[in-house]
Amino acid sequence: MLLLLGAFLTTALFAQQKSQGGIYLNKKTHFIISNKTQVVTPANLNIHSSITGKGQLKLCGKKQSDIDAHNQSIENLTIVKDEMTPTRLISAIHITNSFNVESGTLCLFDYDMFLENDAKLNIGKFAHVRYLGSGKIIHNAHPQLLVNQYSPFQLKLFLSGEPGNTSPGEYEKEGFYYSSIKIRNFNRKPPTPPA
């Protein structure tokens, strides 16, 4: 009888964890959120493959959520929670189009969030980002080539770091130094400032 009661309690606990559970994607899953579709969940994310599509994945609710992305990407991610409710990033993640924290608290521990290329970032009025470890939000944009056509030919390559604060020798150590760059053609528009 005691063994049967133990089995019942274990099953009930497992069922309760499953109901609170989360969104789990294994490595071979293709999860596409199309167009204006919103997938809204209060649950944890545990993804081993990327989430693509123009639609939104929206984390909401009054309870803490964890994002365990295993270095995968989500195209559009939105967080809408009570102002002090944490959403914890517990692995590296890549955002390929937009990341919105409309409300709630995003907690970064020792993992980075990468905003790929021109991904947009929006932090709302009732939103907070807490840096609780070495993790950062990194805008992973491509370097820009700027050509000033109104003066003698000049070429500037803006890389990670502040232009002018790093000598070519230091770039060389980090693998960023170029001894020659070949340009086939370029737009004859006035140069734009780097992002």
Side-chain angles (χ1 to χ4, degrees), residues 145-190:
L145 288 173
L146 302 184
V147 178
N148 187 343
Q149 63 179 347
Y150 302 110
S151 63
F153 182 81
Q154 294 178 2
L155 175 66
K156 294 182 180 179
L157 180 60
F158 290 93
L159 298 160
S160 61
E162 302 266 1
N165 289 347
T166 310
S167 68
E170 287 174 335
Y171 276 139
E172 193 170 20
K173 284 181 216 163
E174 296 178 14
F176 291 128
Y177 181 69
Y178 294 90
S179 57
S180 65
I181 298 173
K182 186 173 185 178
I183 298 177
R184 295 182 190 277
N185 55 41
F186 60 89
N187 267 336
R188 296 190 61 82
K189 292 182 179 176

Side-chain angles (χ1 to χ4, degrees), residues 32-194:
I32 301 167
I33 305 172
S34 61
N35 300 325
K36 296 181 180 179
T37 304
Q38 290 188 358
V39 174
V40 181
T41 179
N44 298 325
L45 294 181
N46 188 341
I47 61 172
H48 295 264
S49 60
S50 295
I51 297 175
T52 60
K54 302 296 181 194
Q56 291 281 333
L57 176 61
K58 193 176 272 194
L59 294 179
C60 65
K62 297 182 178 185
K63 293 186 178 177
Q64 172 182 299
S65 294
D66 292 342
I67 301 174
D68 193 356
H70 300 93
N71 209 27
Q72 298 298 316
S73 66
I74 297 176
E75 194 157 337
N76 298 297
L77 178 62
T78 299
I79 297 173
V80 184
K81 290 188 173 278
D82 286 351
E83 187 173 356
M84 298 313 291
T85 301
T87 301
R88 303 182 324 156
L89 185 64
I90 58 174
S91 70
I93 185 172
H94 298 262
I95 303 296
T96 58
N97 188 48
S98 70
F99 176 59
N100 300 302
V101 185
E102 292 180 13
S103 57
T105 301
L106 175 68
C107 298
L108 298 176
F109 293 97
D110 292 328
Y111 300 99
D112 296 327
M113 173 177 281
F114 297 95
L115 300 176
E116 300 294 342
N117 303 328
D118 295 325
K120 296 172 187 67
L121 170 66
N122 179 46
I123 307 293
K125 182 177 179 181
F126 298 104
H128 309 278
V129 177
R130 294 186 65 198
Y131 297 91
L132 302 172
S134 60
K136 299 175 286 303
I137 296 177
I138 299 173
H139 197 20
N140 224 3
H142 295 301
Q144 292 188 13
L145 288 173
L146 302 184
V147 178
N148 187 343
Q149 63 179 347
Y150 302 110
S151 63
F153 182 81
Q154 294 178 2
L155 175 66
K156 294 182 180 179
L157 180 60
F158 290 93
L159 298 160
S160 61
E162 302 266 1
N165 289 347
T166 310
S167 68
E170 287 174 335
Y171 276 139
E172 193 170 20
K173 284 181 216 163
E174 296 178 14
F176 291 128
Y177 181 69
Y178 294 90
S179 57
S180 65
I181 298 173
K182 186 173 185 178
I183 298 177
R184 295 182 190 277
N185 55 41
F186 60 89
N187 267 336
R188 296 190 61 82
K189 292 182 179 176
T192 56

